[in-house]
Amino acid sequence: MSTVLDTIIDGVRLDLSARQAVLTQADLERLADQAPPALDGHAALSMPGLSLIAEVKRASPSKGALADIPDPAALAAAYQSGGASVISVLTEERRFGGSLRDLDAVREAVTVPVLRKDFMVSDYQIWEARAHGADLVLLIVAALTDAELVHLHHLAGQLGMTALVEVHDETETQRAIDAGAVVIGVNARNLKTLEIHPDTFSRLSPLVPPGVLRIAESGITGPADAARYAAQGADAVLVGESLVRGGDAAAGARALLAAAHDTSLR
């Protein structure tokens, strides 16, 4: 039986084939070589205290449409002014309403590192990310074989990018560690069922070796959740839905970061 993740990846592969028919990987590699060097995403997430990865996110498979976001550049600039260390940009089109155009717009608008968040299954997408100015890429363990994970993680590093390696359970956490991940994102949402399990981070975080950054993802509805994850040892939180729906993106970002230092919320 196909899972939600399987269906998403089927669409990603179709869209990828269409792009490959227009622009060859060799062309992408030349564009990537001409791009400014990648910013250090790992360093940006290693600062003292809780860091914020704020997301440009129009829609999701679980919630449908979230926000129109007519100006992704303005949203990203607001996130940066609110203290976000990294800006995440959804580029998957079918379920998330994103695009590489959004990535281009955000890259032009901010000076902090930018994460291309998509379902990466090929070398082409890694080169594509770098050609469009991404400094980090998402690698979802559940979507890749061990060999694919190791290969794409290595390629991202070769291009100067940081890989955020996403896990959902104990087995995936060990696979990420074995692949050499230095930034591990623990997603509370099971991408195969779309269910949220709030205890996922507290369960998996102790399995992550010292020195590897731990990012809490999904289900962060406000400052109290950010404070809880900070107390559990998260180095950063990745937040999209609550920020794009909140109205004032800069204020929302500041509130999440302030909460990490407010012990009354934990």
Side-chain angles (χ1 to χ4, degrees):
M1 179 182 294
S2 293
T3 66
V4 175
L5 180 60
D6 293 331
T7 303
I8 293 172
I9 290 175
D10 286 344
V12 165
R13 290 188 185 280
L14 285 172
D15 294 339
L16 174 59
S17 294
R19 296 198 304 278
Q20 288 173 314
V22 175
L23 190 67
T24 68
Q25 184 166 314
D27 290 333
L28 268 183
E29 292 178 12
R30 283 192 288 272
L31 291 172
D33 288 341
Q34 295 166 11
L39 301 177
D40 192 336
H42 185 277
L45 297 172
S46 300
M47 302 299 288
L50 187 74
S51 296
L52 172 64
I53 305 173
E55 193 154 81
V56 176
K57 183 178 186 179
R58 289 191 169 87
S60 75
S62 60
K63 299 291 182 67
L66 299 174
D68 289 337
I69 312 183
D71 190 347
L75 176 60
Y79 284 155
Q80 180 173 330
S81 69
S85 297
V86 170
I87 310 301
S88 171
V89 184
L90 261 302
T91 58
E92 197 279 335
E93 297 188 29
R94 294 172 182 247
R95 299 296 189 94
F96 293 89
S99 70
L100 288 164
R101 292 184 302 278
D102 287 348
L103 182 60
D104 291 336
V106 169
R107 175 69 285 163
E108 288 293 319
V110 300
T111 57
V112 296
V114 175
L115 163 69
R116 181 190 182 182
K117 193 174 180 192
D118 209 319
F119 297 79
M120 312 296 273
V121 293
S122 76
D123 289 21
Y124 187 93
Q125 292 166 294
I126 303 294
W127 283 103
E128 197 173 47
R130 185 78 281 275
H132 285 267
D135 309 290
L136 304 93
V137 290
L138 181 71
L139 298 179
I140 301 173
V141 174
L144 301 166
T145 66
D146 287 343
E148 289 169 339
L149 177 60
V150 169
H151 174 71
L152 295 180
H153 187 273
H154 179 69
L155 177 57
Q158 281 188 313
L159 298 184
M161 293 187 291
T162 299
L164 170 56
V165 182
E166 182 176 289
V167 304
H168 306 83
D169 61 27
E170 288 81 358
T171 299
E172 291 177 10
T173 302
Q174 189 58 53
R175 290 178 59 202
I177 294 166
D178 291 344
V182 294
V183 183
I184 292 181
V186 177
N187 195 341
R189 187 181 303 282
N190 184 327
L191 289 182
K192 296 179 180 178
T193 65
L194 299 185
E195 295 174 344
I196 288 276
H197 299 282
D199 67 335
T200 304
F201 185 86
S202 62
R203 195 178 79 245
L204 301 185
S205 179
L207 305 179
V208 178
V212 176
L213 298 181
R214 294 172 291 177
I215 316 300
E217 304 175 21
S218 293
I220 301 164
T221 60
D225 291 324
R228 174 169 53 86
Y229 281 128
Q232 292 173 359
D235 295 291
V237 289
L238 190 156
V239 185
E241 179 182 341
S242 66
L243 287 174
V244 299
R245 285 182 158 176
D248 187 332
R254 282 192 290 268
L256 289 169
L257 291 168
H261 305 288
D262 186 348
T263 56
S264 69
L265 292 174
R266 301 184 183 182

